[in-house]
Amino acid sequence: MSFLQKFIDKIQKENLFQKKDQLLLAVSGGIDSIVLCELCSQAGFEFKIAHCNFQLRGEESERDEAFVKSLGERYSTEIFIKKFDTEKYAEEKKISIQVAARELRYEWFEELIASTTGKLEPTTKKFSETSNNKHRTLYILTAHHANDNIETLLMNFFKGTGIKGLQGIPVKQRKIIRPLLFAKRGEILAFSKVNSLSFVEDSSNLSDKYTRNYFRNQLIPSIRKVFPEVEDNLLHAIERFKEIGMLYEQAIQLHKKKLLEYKEHEIHIPVLKLLKSIPLKTIIYEIIKEYGFTAHQTDDVLHLLKSESGKYISSSMYKIIKDRKWIIISPHNSLQAATILIDKNDNKIVFENGELEISKFVKSDTILSTESSIATLDAKDIIYPLLLRKWKQGDYFYPLGTKNLPAGRPGKKKLSRFFIDQKLSLTEKEKIWVIESNKRIIWVVGKRIDDRFKITGSTTNVLKISFNER
Amino acid sequence: MSFLQKFIDKIQKENLFQKKDQLLLAVSGGIDSIVLCELCSQAGFEFKIAHCNFQLRGEESERDEAFVKSLGERYSTEIFIKKFDTEKYAEEKKISIQVAARELRYEWFEELIASTTGKLEPTTKKFSETSNNKHRTLYILTAHHANDNIETLLMNFFKGTGIKGLQGIPVKQRKIIRPLLFAKRGEILAFSKVNSLSFVEDSSNLSDKYTRNYFRNQLIPSIRKVFPEVEDNLLHAIERFKEIGMLYEQAIQLHKKKLLEYKEHEIHIPVLKLLKSIPLKTIIYEIIKEYGFTAHQTDDVLHLLKSESGKYISSSMYKIIKDRKWIIISPHNSLQAATILIDKNDNKIVFENGELEISKFVKSDTILSTESSIATLDAKDIIYPLLLRKWKQGDYFYPLGTKNLPAGRPGKKKLSRFFIDQKLSLTEKEKIWVIESNKRIIWVVGKRIDDRFKITGSTTNVLKISFNER
């Protein structure tokens, strides 16, 4: 089978795109992307060309841009060119040049895709002029090939990847398609020779490029000396790893389904059940990574499972809080959270029902407020962080001022019972929040403080919390 | 923490063995195994020593054996020595020298373990002389270390492994324990220097050794140039791959539970359900590999799923047979099988109920048997292979000689109905087998042939099957 036929076959068999779809080829001007152009042309696909000028190689970058522009005539098609100030972008975002180039490239592609239906501004004429665009999907085609895939796999492997990194470069990723992934470098070279294609050479020594070249020219040949089949072995392995990845994902989804309880904006996980899950570390990592936590924080979560209530760890967007027999993943944005941590230094907390103002002072003879919207508490026994959360079934406290037991202390009372005594309606009950310190409720917010935390003769420091209902 | 302390810690934390257990150290005389001896001695573990003399390096092999024998005095312990004719074994089994050495080594270890309770014959005195052996487990300790693990991982990876090969060398494998897997070569070297240990150098150029040396001295240093952390990265990756392997196994078990129906000695898998399973190839491979099928046969099974009834593929012990909406994994040993293939050239089949004798001849005027234990059939419409199997609910046929329909042909009848008419007891029904050709039952064995396959005036070739009940 000819190389062209193999190319067409792959596209059909793997259902990569339809002949009627709009194709935009990402063309650097190097051999791989030039071969991709020629294959698409010979296959009779209609396509346009996009070229990124990263302006990193002075004259050479301009030469490449001009060369790609010249393809417009050869293939009677339109060329989109975009110049990037890659160095500035990398500096501003504090990332490496190669990461910057990759981000800029794919960001531009996403833009091009987003504006599919005829709003693109090509260098020469309007993309929209092509008739009948409405029902045609726009795909971006890149020229990554089998050897790129092997090099990527090896680099990921040596960096210490999980199962994701072993699956190589995806053939189809949203609207980006890599129809040359099946082809080896040798086949591409042979095709370019037979078709007398001209292309530009990239003298770049970007460090990613450098590493790739090192793998290509030094390392892989060394491995081939002892394992002559290494490249084919790795290509087959990628296919296997993809399936292993799917099975991995299935198992993870099952564990999540068993463990995670979604409550409004939070996720509640029973600690005992989690501790019994095998393999614990990976399951924890797969749960937390979606909320911005890193692999390194997995050990912190393991530690948290055995910590006291109120301990927590943070990512940029979320907190993971230990709350008695649960760990709770809760957004920092407290307006959405149903479990909020109050630290020692917090003086204002905004939550669903309103605002809390928190202050501390030394007890004086000033008469303390008795309003139910203000809690004045003995600071002595209060342990931080406090937890502000919705009440739940099973909650109890020692309500201040209820009938004393024979021993002279108020009795322990379930909140559900307390609400009945207070004649709260269902709607009112649903809106009740509590503040907890070290597993003990200190205040049923806006209703009653706990007797154990009341101001007494021996109190020296007072914690005052005022509730302003929304 | 000292290296010795790390060693003891690892053993305790990972619960590798108890101080009271019997330890037999596999000692080649090289630096790694000598360090293992010294560590066990300094840790206060009681141990004995086993040495394999593979007789592959002439004088050097004898030197090593003598050196290991000399350790008996140093550690006041017993030494077990075994000489192997490795070359002869490799030749006889047609395997490489390094595979032979590994097999011989571990076979001997298994023997030593099997004869734990004091039946071992040491070179000098009886292993059994150690008192109180009864409740002590015997473990074999080998000196594999972290760098061995990295090298094994890399070799497996380049050979194109699945998830199993990425999990490195197991720390504990039945009774074989590798307590040095945590240690890097540098630590072992440092410990041997501080303790002024003598050891022998192995000049071996076994190809496995050669490959390892190449990895150690050439490849890994080359990778380190671009990824300085590569060794630590790979050690961490092994830990992750172990957990990925567990999740993979969980997902596979779930798929098997959904797909496999165990029927006596056979496994029945519904084709439609299997075809819907994702990822199909890996699931098929995981099902069939237990029955001696190779990864390469996965594609054959994929093909079989879409083939006609009666097609099959074989491993040394099993057949996988397509039978209408099922594929059936069935042992070759037909006495155990409940689904047996009859090929064109078979003339005798032994099965649970007895024997079938099969012959073909040209129709003559000889009077054909009418005994129900003999089927005489028109060979014309019979398609091979035939399936001999137990009858099942839903089976039907066109029994010869029952009341004709208006059209002059006997009616289609369910086997269950036929058995009622025949007044068969439950026990009798349970013993009924049928022979099927291309999804049509041609004979209810020992009971009645199908009308569609009867001998007629136009018959030229006859297929005769005689049933001799056991």
Side-chain angles (χ1 to χ4, degrees):
Chain A
M1 203 193 302
S2 76
F3 186 55
L4 173 65
Q5 197 52 55
K6 267 169 90 175
F7 174 74
I8 297 171
D9 262 34
K10 269 282 158 186
I11 291 162
Q12 284 173 346
K13 263 194 200 146
E14 300 191 14
N15 199 16
L16 297 183
F17 56 82
Q18 306 295 318
K19 217 170 170 172
K20 67 171 176 54
D21 292 323
Q22 297 189 78
L23 305 179
L24 188 59
L25 274 48
V27 175
S28 68
I31 180 169
D32 305 334
S33 57
I34 291 301
V35 163
L36 179 61
C37 283
E38 183 67 20
L39 284 166
C40 285
S41 163
Q42 292 189 15
F45 301 146
E46 233 181 272
F47 62 90
K48 293 180 176 53
I49 287 172
H51 175 80
C52 300
N53 183 343
F54 293 112
Q55 304 191 90
L56 290 168
R57 290 170 291 129
E59 271 307 301
E60 202 178 288
S61 292
E62 301 312 311
R63 176 205 67 183
D64 293 357
E65 179 179 322
F67 174 72
V68 174
K69 267 185 184 154
S70 78
L71 296 172
E73 205 166 311
R74 178 180 171 106
Y75 295 114
S76 317
T77 191
E78 299 154 47
I79 318 283
F80 300 82
I81 306 272
K82 182 135 179 173
K83 283 190 201 290
F84 299 98
D85 193 343
T86 316
E87 276 171 1
K88 192 178 155 208
Y89 180 87
E91 209 172 296
E92 280 173 7
K93 292 199 69 176
K94 296 194 171 60
I95 51 179
S96 71
I97 292 283
Q98 71 264 32
V99 171
R102 194 179 306 127
E103 279 189 13
L104 288 168
R105 175 180 156 102
Y106 285 109
E107 260 170 36
W108 185 42
F109 290 170
E110 296 291 344
E111 268 172 43
L112 290 171
I113 290 165
S115 53
T116 299
T117 40
K119 282 178 226 127
L120 298 180
E121 284 288 346
T123 318
T124 49
K125 46 179 177 155
K126 300 253 182 209
F127 203 44
S128 57
E129 286 172 22
T130 322
S131 63
N132 202 12
N133 273 346
K134 279 181 192 168
H135 303 293
R136 298 164 66 196
T137 318
L138 174 70
Y139 288 112
I140 309 254
L141 269 50
T142 76
H144 293 92
H145 54 66
N147 295 75
D148 290 329
N149 213 358
I150 291 169
E151 287 150 22
T152 299
L153 170 68
L154 284 178
M155 288 193 278
N156 288 343
F157 187 64
F158 295 140
K159 279 185 224 160
T161 183
I163 187 69
K164 292 255 155 40
L166 295 182
Q167 299 175 44
I169 307 170
V171 181
K172 198 165 179 175
Q173 204 175 18
R174 290 185 308 275
K175 302 286 181 204
I176 294 163
I177 295 176
R178 303 182 176 94
L180 274 185
L181 268 186
F182 77 94
K184 289 200 195 160
R185 186 175 287 115
E187 294 174 286
I188 289 173
L189 193 66
F191 182 84
S192 86
K193 279 194 179 147
V194 168
N195 292 273
S196 313
L197 301 178
S198 344
F199 48 87
V200 295
E201 302 264 8
D202 183 350
S203 73
S204 159
N205 54 4
L206 286 183
S207 90
D208 182 59
K209 195 101 189 164
Y210 170 77
T211 308
R212 276 191 185 275
N213 282 331
Y214 182 73
F215 270 72
R216 185 176 307 163
N217 303 322
Q218 309 282 328
L219 257 181
I220 296 175
S222 302
I223 301 168
R224 224 187 281 125
K225 277 186 203 160
V226 276
F227 296 114
E229 310 286 320
V230 60
E231 282 157 294
D232 283 330
N233 293 348
L234 291 178
L235 287 174
H236 285 132
I238 287 173
E239 296 310 312
R240 265 202 304 282
F241 293 141
K242 281 182 190 165
E243 300 212 338
I244 293 170
M246 289 180 203
L247 289 159
Y248 173 86
E249 201 48 50
Q250 291 170 3
I252 287 293
Q253 288 311 326
L254 263 171
H255 281 289
K256 283 189 181 169
K257 207 173 153 189
K258 277 185 201 157
L259 289 169
L260 308 188
E261 297 178 19
Y262 293 87
K263 299 201 171 170
E264 295 174 40
H265 299 282
E266 295 183 352
I267 290 150
H268 292 225
I269 307 165
V271 170
L272 285 177
K273 210 168 172 187
L274 179 58
L275 279 170
K276 280 183 203 146
S277 303
I278 292 173
L280 186 54
K281 269 184 124 172
T282 301
I283 292 170
I284 289 176
Y285 172 61
E286 287 289 341
I287 292 171
I288 67 174
K289 72 170 190 190
E290 284 172 46
Y291 303 97
F293 294 88
T294 66
H296 295 291
Q297 287 177 294
T298 308
D299 285 334
D300 299 341
V301 174
L302 273 174
H303 195 248
L304 193 68
L305 291 178
K306 289 165 184 165
S307 302
E308 295 153 35
S309 272
K311 299 270 179 201
Y312 67 95
I313 59 174
S314 288
S315 71
S316 60
M317 299 285 287
Y318 286 84
K319 277 201 176 83
I320 303 178
I321 307 159
K322 171 77 185 289
D323 181 17
R324 293 171 297 175
K325 293 180 176 169
W326 299 82
I327 59 169
I328 297 166
I329 305 177
S330 175
H332 283 317
N333 173 358
S334 58
L335 268 178
Q336 292 188 341
T339 309
I340 298 164
L341 285 166
I342 303 174
D343 268 323
K344 197 157 192 155
N345 302 318
D346 289 336
N347 49 37
K348 193 171 181 176
I349 298 286
V350 180
F351 72 114
E352 208 181 83
N353 283 7
E355 248 179 51
L356 295 179
E357 272 173 62
I358 303 164
S359 57
K360 282 151 222 159
F361 51 86
V362 177
K363 197 180 81 171
S364 63
D365 294 332
T366 339
I367 294 164
L368 296 169
S369 162
T370 52
E371 280 179 55
S372 64
S373 67
I374 296 177
T376 44
L377 304 156
D378 190 332
K380 183 161 50 70
D381 291 331
I382 287 173
I383 295 167
Y384 290 91
L386 304 176
L387 271 177
L388 170 65
R389 60 165 177 84
K390 287 205 163 166
W391 83 280
K392 48 191 172 210
Q393 283 300 336
D395 275 348
Y396 62 86
F397 78 139
Y398 294 82
L400 177 75
T402 45
K403 214 170 92 197
N404 285 7
L405 291 180
R409 284 180 65 83
K412 171 171 160 178
K413 190 171 257 180
K414 286 220 166 150
L415 258 63
S416 49
R417 183 73 231 166
F418 175 74
F419 296 152
I420 293 170
D421 297 348
Q422 298 280 311
K423 301 192 171 61
L424 295 190
S425 71
L426 189 64
T427 335
E428 283 170 320
K429 277 200 288 185
E430 273 176 359
K431 282 173 66 185
I432 298 290
W433 287 57
V434 299
I435 297 178
E436 199 186 295
S437 163
N438 191 27
K439 288 184 263 184
R440 302 190 292 182
I441 290 173
I442 61 174
W443 189 25
V444 177
V445 177
K447 297 293 170 197
R448 189 77 58 90
I449 67 162
D450 186 285
D451 187 79
R452 295 166 294 179
F453 298 90
K454 71 180 172 202
I455 308 292
T456 66
S458 64
T459 301
T460 49
N461 290 300
V462 175
L463 170 70
K464 178 180 170 193
I465 312 175
S466 313
F467 172 44
N468 305 313
E469 203 161 351
R470 184 192 298 266
Chain B
M1 202 193 303
S2 76
F3 187 54
L4 173 65
Q5 197 52 54
K6 267 169 91 176
F7 174 73
I8 297 170
D9 261 36
K10 270 282 158 185
I11 291 162
Q12 284 173 346
K13 262 194 200 146
E14 300 191 14
N15 198 17
L16 297 183
F17 56 83
Q18 305 295 317
K19 217 169 170 174
K20 68 171 174 56
D21 292 323
Q22 298 189 76
L23 305 179
L24 187 61
L25 275 48
V27 175
S28 68
I31 180 168
D32 306 332
S33 57
I34 291 300
V35 163
L36 179 62
C37 282
E38 184 65 20
L39 284 167
C40 285
S41 163
Q42 292 189 15
F45 301 147
E46 232 181 273
F47 62 89
K48 295 179 176 51
I49 288 172
H51 175 78
C52 300
N53 182 343
F54 293 113
Q55 304 191 92
L56 290 168
R57 290 170 293 127
E59 271 307 301
E60 203 178 289
S61 292
E62 300 312 311
R63 176 204 68 183
D64 293 357
E65 180 181 322
F67 174 73
V68 174
K69 267 186 186 156
S70 77
L71 297 172
E73 206 166 310
R74 178 179 171 107
Y75 295 115
S76 318
T77 191
E78 299 153 47
I79 318 283
F80 300 82
I81 306 271
K82 182 136 179 174
K83 283 190 201 289
F84 298 99
D85 192 343
T86 316
E87 277 172 0
K88 192 177 153 208
Y89 180 87
E91 209 172 295
E92 279 171 10
K93 292 199 69 176
K94 295 193 172 60
I95 52 180
S96 71
I97 292 282
Q98 70 264 31
V99 171
R102 195 180 305 127
E103 279 189 12
L104 288 168
R105 175 180 155 101
Y106 284 109
E107 260 170 35
W108 185 42
F109 289 170
E110 296 292 343
E111 268 172 44
L112 290 171
I113 291 165
S115 53
T116 299
T117 38
K119 282 177 226 128
L120 298 181
E121 285 286 346
T123 318
T124 49
K125 44 179 180 156
K126 301 253 183 210
F127 204 43
S128 56
E129 285 172 24
T130 323
S131 62
N132 202 10
N133 274 345
K134 280 181 191 167
H135 303 293
R136 299 163 67 195
T137 318
L138 174 71
Y139 289 112
I140 309 253
L141 269 51
T142 76
H144 293 92
H145 54 65
N147 295 74
D148 290 328
N149 213 358
I150 292 169
E151 287 149 21
T152 300
L153 170 68
L154 284 177
M155 287 193 279
N156 289 342
F157 187 64
F158 295 140
K159 279 186 223 159
T161 183
I163 187 69
K164 292 254 155 39
L166 296 181
Q167 299 176 43
I169 306 171
V171 182
K172 197 165 179 172
Q173 203 176 18
R174 291 187 307 275
K175 302 286 180 203
I176 294 163
I177 295 175
R178 303 183 176 93
L180 275 184
L181 268 185
F182 76 95
K184 289 200 193 159
R185 186 174 288 115
E187 294 174 286
I188 289 173
L189 192 65
F191 182 84
S192 85
K193 280 195 180 145
V194 168
N195 291 274
S196 313
L197 300 179
S198 348
F199 49 86
V200 293
E201 302 264 8
D202 183 351
S203 73
S204 160
N205 54 4
L206 286 183
S207 91
D208 181 60
K209 195 99 191 167
Y210 170 79
T211 308
R212 277 192 185 272
N213 282 329
Y214 183 73
F215 270 73
R216 184 176 308 164
N217 303 323
Q218 309 282 328
L219 258 180
I220 297 175
S222 302
I223 300 168
R224 223 186 281 125
K225 277 186 202 158
V226 276
F227 295 113
E229 309 286 319
V230 60
E231 282 157 296
D232 283 330
N233 293 348
L234 291 177
L235 287 175
H236 285 133
I238 287 173
E239 297 310 312
R240 265 203 304 281
F241 292 141
K242 281 183 189 163
E243 300 212 340
I244 294 169
M246 290 179 203
L247 289 159
Y248 173 85
E249 201 48 51
Q250 291 169 4
I252 287 293
Q253 288 312 326
L254 262 172
H255 282 288
K256 282 189 182 171
K257 207 173 153 189
K258 278 186 202 157
L259 289 168
L260 308 188
E261 299 179 17
Y262 293 87
K263 299 201 170 169
E264 295 176 39
H265 299 281
E266 297 183 352
I267 290 151
H268 292 224
I269 306 165
V271 170
L272 285 177
K273 211 168 172 186
L274 179 59
L275 279 170
K276 279 183 203 145
S277 302
I278 293 172
L280 187 53
K281 270 183 123 172
T282 301
I283 292 170
I284 289 176
Y285 172 61
E286 287 288 341
I287 291 172
I288 67 174
K289 73 171 188 188
E290 286 172 44
Y291 303 96
F293 294 88
T294 66
H296 294 291
Q297 288 178 293
T298 308
D299 284 334
D300 299 341
V301 175
L302 273 174
H303 195 247
L304 193 69
L305 291 177
K306 289 166 184 165
S307 302
E308 295 154 35
S309 271
K311 298 269 179 202
Y312 67 95
I313 58 173
S314 289
S315 70
S316 61
M317 300 284 288
Y318 286 84
K319 277 202 176 81
I320 303 177
I321 307 159
K322 171 77 184 286
D323 180 18
R324 292 170 300 174
K325 292 179 176 170
W326 300 82
I327 60 169
I328 297 166
I329 305 177
S330 176
H332 283 317
N333 173 358
S334 59
L335 268 178
Q336 291 188 342
T339 309
I340 297 163
L341 286 166
I342 303 174
D343 267 324
K344 199 159 191 154
N345 301 319
D346 290 335
N347 49 38
K348 191 170 181 176
I349 299 286
V350 180
F351 72 113
E352 208 181 82
N353 284 6
E355 248 180 50
L356 294 180
E357 272 173 61
I358 303 165
S359 58
K360 283 152 221 159
F361 51 87
V362 177
K363 197 179 83 171
S364 63
D365 293 332
T366 339
I367 294 165
L368 295 169
S369 162
T370 53
E371 282 178 53
S372 64
S373 67
I374 295 177
T376 44
L377 304 155
D378 189 332
K380 182 161 51 71
D381 291 330
I382 287 173
I383 295 166
Y384 289 91
L386 305 176
L387 272 177
L388 171 65
R389 61 166 176 84
K390 287 205 162 168
W391 83 280
K392 48 192 172 207
Q393 284 299 338
D395 275 347
Y396 62 87
F397 77 138
Y398 294 82
L400 178 75
T402 45
K403 215 169 92 199
N404 286 7
L405 290 180
R409 284 181 63 84
K412 171 172 159 178
K413 191 172 256 181
K414 286 220 167 148
L415 258 62
S416 49
R417 184 73 231 165
F418 175 73
F419 296 151
I420 292 169
D421 297 347
Q422 297 281 311
K423 302 191 172 56
L424 295 191
S425 71
L426 189 64
T427 336
E428 284 170 320
K429 277 198 289 186
E430 273 176 1
K431 281 173 66 185
I432 297 290
W433 287 57
V434 298
I435 297 178
E436 199 186 295
S437 162
N438 192 27
K439 289 184 263 186
R440 301 190 293 181
I441 290 174
I442 61 173
W443 189 27
V444 179
V445 177
K447 297 294 170 196
R448 189 76 59 90
I449 67 162
D450 186 286
D451 188 79
R452 293 167 296 179
F453 297 91
K454 71 179 172 202
I455 308 293
T456 66
S458 64
T459 301
T460 49
N461 290 301
V462 175
L463 171 70
K464 178 181 169 191
I465 312 176
S466 313
F467 173 44
N468 305 314
E469 203 162 350
R470 183 192 297 267

